[in-house]
């Protein structure tokens, strides 16, 4: 056999082996896509920007993650200062506008887990977001989350509410996936998600008047109203 033929044969063998070993083949998710985003993201232009947070920020602050206009609300998601403090934001920065985009989103994930999308009443309505949501952490499963939120029917109830997002394999739950919590979901004990590696824990979420965020009257907003659009550059 010639050297040229040997090289050709070896290339074919390697190509076949890679095709067999590659998980999912050509259907593998893009590394830039958020878990579940392809199934859950609606047709908004801002949905490409880490849905739904890019859209909420666009609505609340015109996408200005360090916004501080003096209205008492801060950052891209317009955190009310007691909310930022109650959900452990001060472990990142004194105010939301002083924190990074990722840190603001991390605190917002806990807000939407506890308070739901009504924390942003105007912008959640604009993007048709409702109820509460849970962002999957490493090691979590549908079964463990069903126990945490004391869901009747177990993991099947949670899966039924998120089948489109999770896909056909409920055992494959990717960290970062945002799951819709059924209305019957309990408050879900906190697992110290406001703690930041290398920083002092901020403590459990408690508002300035001593109440837990879940004790707020229904409809009480924890975030500020959308800011007006900035004037055009001249």
């Amino acid at each position: 056999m010639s050297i040229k033929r040997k090289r050709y044969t070896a290339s074919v063998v390697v190509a076949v082996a890679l095709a067999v070993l590659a998980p999912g083949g050509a259907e593998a998710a893009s590394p830039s896509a958020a878990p579940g985003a392809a199934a859950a993201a609606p047709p908004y232009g801002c949905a490409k920007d880490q849905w739904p947070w890019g859209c909420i920020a666009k609505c609340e602050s015109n996408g200005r993650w360090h916004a501080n206009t003096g209205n008492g609300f801060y950052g891209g998601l317009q955190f009310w200062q007691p909310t930022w403090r109650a959900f452990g934001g001060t472990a990142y920065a004194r105010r939301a506008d002083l924190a990074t985009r990722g840190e603001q989103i991390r605190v917002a994930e806990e807000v939407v887990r506890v308070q739901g999308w009504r924390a942003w009443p105007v912008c959640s309505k604009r993007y048709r977001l409702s109820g509460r949501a849970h962002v999957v952490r490493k090691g979590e499963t549908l079964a463990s989350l069903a126990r945490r939120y004391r869901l009747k029917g177990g993991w099947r109830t949670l899966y039924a509410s998120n089948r489109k997002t999770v896909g056909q394999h409920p055992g494959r739950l990717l960290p970062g996936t945002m799951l819709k919590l059924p209305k019957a979901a309990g408050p879900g004990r906190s697992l110290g998600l406001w703690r930041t590696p290398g920083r002092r824990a901020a403590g459990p979420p408690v508002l300035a008047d001593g109440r837990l965020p879940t004790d707020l009257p229904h409809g009480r907003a924890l975030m500020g109203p959308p800011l007006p659009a900035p004037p055009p550059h001249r």
Side-chain angles (χ1 to χ4, degrees):
M1 184 182 291
S2 66
I3 294 178
K4 185 175 181 179
R5 179 178 292 273
K6 287 182 179 179
R7 288 178 178 174
Y8 173 78
T9 303
S11 298
V12 172
V13 171
V14 171
V16 171
L18 289 175
V20 172
L21 294 175
E27 297 181 357
S30 168
S32 61
Y44 303 116
C46 57
K48 298 178 182 179
D49 182 19
Q50 198 176 354
W51 168 258
W53 301 116
C55 289
I56 295 293
K58 181 180 179 180
C59 173
E60 287 283 344
S61 65
N62 300 297
R64 291 177 284 168
W65 288 91
H66 299 290
N68 178 3
T69 63
N71 67 345
F73 300 92
Y74 305 94
L77 304 174
Q78 287 293 277
F79 277 92
W80 182 37
Q81 184 60 20
T83 305
W84 180 252
R85 184 168 55 249
F87 284 91
T90 51
Y92 297 113
R94 184 163 51 91
R95 297 191 313 267
D97 61 302
L98 302 176
T100 67
R101 168 184 169 135
E103 290 167 346
Q104 291 178 51
I105 290 175
R106 184 67 196 89
V107 177
E109 289 174 351
E110 186 69 1
V111 172
V112 79
R113 185 188 74 80
V114 174
Q115 183 75 0
W117 290 112
R118 63 189 174 98
W120 294 270
V122 175
C123 297
S124 62
K125 185 176 181 180
R126 175 179 297 182
Y127 297 112
R128 300 180 181 181
L129 296 165
S130 61
R132 294 162 56 208
H134 178 97
V135 177
V136 176
R137 307 276 285 179
K138 184 178 180 180
E140 290 181 330
T141 64
L142 289 177
S144 68
L145 291 175
R147 288 192 298 270
R148 177 178 176 182
Y149 292 102
R150 299 184 178 180
L151 286 173
K152 186 177 180 180
W155 69 267
R156 291 179 177 81
T157 299
L158 188 57
Y159 181 51
S161 298
N162 296 276
R163 186 183 297 271
K164 187 176 180 180
T165 299
V166 176
Q168 298 180 350
H169 304 285
R172 301 177 185 176
L173 199 56
L174 299 176
T177 301
M178 180 173 283
L179 301 176
K180 180 184 295 186
L181 292 176
K183 290 183 179 180
R189 66 187 185 282
S190 177
L191 299 180
L193 300 182
W194 54 85
R195 299 176 187 270
T196 309
R199 297 175 186 251
R200 182 176 59 86
V206 179
L207 296 177
D209 58 7
R211 290 179 298 170
L212 294 175
T214 48
D215 296 332
L216 287 175
H218 182 72
R220 171 68 183 274
L222 295 180
M223 307 295 170
L227 295 175
H233 294 290
R234 294 183 179 179

